[in-house]
Amino acid sequence: MKFLEDDYLLELFFKSYCCSEERFVCSLVCKKWRCVLKYKVDISCGREEVPIEIYCEKEDLKLNFIYVVDNVIRDEEIKIEELNYSCNCKINGNNTCSNNQQDNLSTCECLKINHSFTSINFRNCDGKLNLNYLYPIYECNDSCNCNEENCCNRIMKSGISHPLYLFYNEQKGFGVKCKTLIEKGSFICEYLGEYLTNDKANKQLLKSENNQLKKRKLDNEKEEDQHYLLVIEEYFEKDNSNQRTNIDSSIFGNISRFFNHSCSPNLTVRLVRNNSTTPRVCFFALNDIEPNTELCFHYGSIIYSKDQPFNNLNNLSNRKCYCGSLNCLGYLPFTKI
């Protein structure tokens, strides 16, 4: 009984005198405190509308990063250019884009860009991603006069709307699951972190891969040897140009930094532009995802299609893959630089 009384008083103290961020810090101290808090600790520290909880029996819990809800720029060499397009759609006096994208094609400048790639709409009638659309997405932006809530040329949501939670696996480390069903095509979240220059990103990739090669020779892979750098390379056929975006979530990031790789993923990525020429890296459900299923994407082929699975054995790293998929290639993909 004394033990239960102590737990009750400790729980009362946390609720009465500790803010969300303080409860999060307390949860990192020990397993007992996490049990007292009933694992109801928000790792976003209140920055997300839906709390992101930790379900972890690990005693020594280390989450050494700062949770952010937008990308971070600390390097003066990185310049973000604003987009030079916007629409002036006024449908039925509601100042909004048409519910039928084809009907509004002649007037909406934003839709014209998307339809220059293909006649397929990127968004279904239910507001979810059309998975057959494999091209960049140009949303309406802050300069547009359309109504943001009713505009059918927007698919990114502000923040996370699904009850995601963090768990721990001895082989893979931390991972992410969802408490509820996620429907096919649903927006999950954006990959957030710090923008890096190509030079800094290349150095980080080489250092990480060399360290991992040494660990592999010693058969001593450690969690802290993981890196959180996502490299996006785009080719634009129209003007024969390339654009590379490097997002590092090792210091600044959100829940997506814990998405693990799978050779048979249930998440896919689309690059969304709305206010700048730099793409937003957005995750969507590749199929209906049952509750308490781990959320994974393919590190080597982010715009993953079941019709065109990744099987390039020449682009594998020194890092072992523990996805457990029947299609598992044994090692994680590697970004060639």
Side-chain angles (χ1 to χ4, degrees), residues 1 8 11 20-21 52 75 89 120 149 165 167 193 197 199 216 219 232 235 261 283 317 333 337:
M1 288 295 294
Y8 171 75
E11 182 178 358
S20 178
E21 192 159 358
I52 300 173
D75 195 320
C89 297
I120 300 173
E149 292 184 4
Y165 66 90
F167 75 100
T197 62
D199 288 341
R216 182 182 169 188
D219 195 25
I232 305 295
Y235 170 70
H261 164 83
F283 293 96
S317 70
I337 58 174

Side-chain angles (χ1 to χ4, degrees), residues 53-66:
E53 299 170 1
I54 310 174
Y55 290 79
C56 179
E57 297 291 335
K58 195 176 188 307
E59 184 67 40
D60 184 20
L61 187 62
K62 294 181 180 179
L63 297 176
N64 300 322
F65 79 106
I66 301 171

Side-chain angles (χ1 to χ4, degrees), residues 33-295:
W33 282 19
R34 285 196 294 281
C35 290
V36 169
L37 289 165
K38 294 184 173 60
Y39 297 96
K40 304 292 184 181
V41 177
D42 179 11
I43 70 166
S44 78
C45 300
R47 294 180 179 90
E48 300 284 4
E49 290 187 11
V50 179
I52 300 173
E53 299 170 1
I54 310 174
Y55 290 79
C56 179
E57 297 291 335
K58 195 176 188 307
E59 184 67 40
D60 184 20
L61 187 62
K62 294 181 180 179
L63 297 176
N64 300 322
F65 79 106
I66 301 171
Y67 199 100
V68 294
V69 291
D70 202 356
N71 287 308
V72 175
I73 301 175
R74 294 193 297 175
D75 195 320
E76 294 181 355
E77 292 184 33
I78 296 175
K79 307 296 181 184
I80 302 297
E81 297 181 17
E82 293 185 1
L83 286 171
N84 58 359
Y85 74 86
S86 62
C87 72
N88 191 29
C89 297
K90 295 183 179 180
I91 306 301
N92 298 326
N94 290 329
N95 214 36
T96 181
C97 292
S98 169
N99 289 327
N100 186 325
Q101 291 182 328
Q102 295 290 353
D103 289 347
N104 200 37
L105 180 57
S106 60
T107 59
C108 183
E109 295 298 323
C110 308
L111 284 172
K112 285 181 181 179
I113 299 175
N114 293 317
H115 281 277
S116 68
F117 300 116
T118 177
S119 60
I120 300 173
N121 295 327
F122 71 80
R123 208 179 90 150
N124 294 324
C125 296
D126 59 3
K128 295 180 176 60
L129 176 71
N130 179 351
L131 293 169
N132 293 320
Y133 187 95
L134 303 176
Y135 303 89
I137 295 173
Y138 287 80
E139 285 190 326
C140 288
N141 54 64
D142 293 345
S143 300
C144 296
N145 290 325
C146 55
N147 187 311
E148 183 175 348
E149 292 184 4
N150 298 326
C151 176
C152 63
N153 194 46
R154 302 174 194 252
I155 199 163
M156 276 186 65
K157 296 179 180 177
S158 60
I160 295 170
S161 59
H162 299 282
L164 307 179
Y165 66 90
L166 201 61
F167 75 100
Y168 187 81
N169 177 279
E170 288 296 332
Q171 285 187 314
K172 296 189 288 185
F174 289 107
V176 181
K177 295 182 180 181
C178 185
K179 294 182 181 180
T180 58
L181 172 73
I182 300 177
E183 294 182 350
K184 177 180 176 180
S186 296
F187 172 75
I188 309 298
C189 67
E190 180 184 356
Y191 193 88
L192 296 176
E194 178 182 0
Y195 288 127
L196 296 185
T197 62
N198 290 345
D199 288 341
K200 288 185 178 179
N202 289 345
K203 289 177 181 177
Q204 186 167 314
L205 282 170
L206 286 173
K207 181 181 178 181
S208 175
E209 194 64 12
N210 289 335
N211 287 343
Q212 193 64 24
L213 182 59
K214 293 177 183 178
K215 295 293 181 183
R216 182 182 169 188
K217 288 179 179 179
L218 297 172
D219 195 25
N220 182 24
E221 298 184 27
K222 293 184 179 180
E223 178 189 336
E224 48 265 34
D225 291 323
Q226 296 176 352
H227 73 78
Y228 299 90
L229 179 61
L230 183 65
V231 178
I232 305 295
E233 296 191 67
E234 298 176 275
Y235 170 70
F236 299 94
E237 186 176 1
K238 185 177 181 181
D239 55 359
N240 193 30
S241 64
N242 294 284
Q243 179 174 336
R244 175 174 160 179
T245 305
N246 310 293
I247 305 176
D248 176 28
S249 64
S250 59
I251 300 175
F252 304 94
N254 67 347
I255 186 65
S256 65
R257 77 193 293 274
F258 298 110
F259 286 161
N260 284 314
H261 164 83
S262 175
C263 297
S264 299
N266 52 20
L267 298 182
T268 185
V269 169
R270 295 296 181 274
L271 305 181
V272 180
R273 288 174 168 84
N274 46 30
N275 285 306
S276 74
T277 57
T278 302
R280 319 286 295 201
V281 182
C282 299
F283 293 96
F284 297 87
L286 193 57
N287 45 257
D288 287 345
I289 303 174
E290 295 296 323
N292 303 310
T293 301
E294 184 176 4
L295 306 183

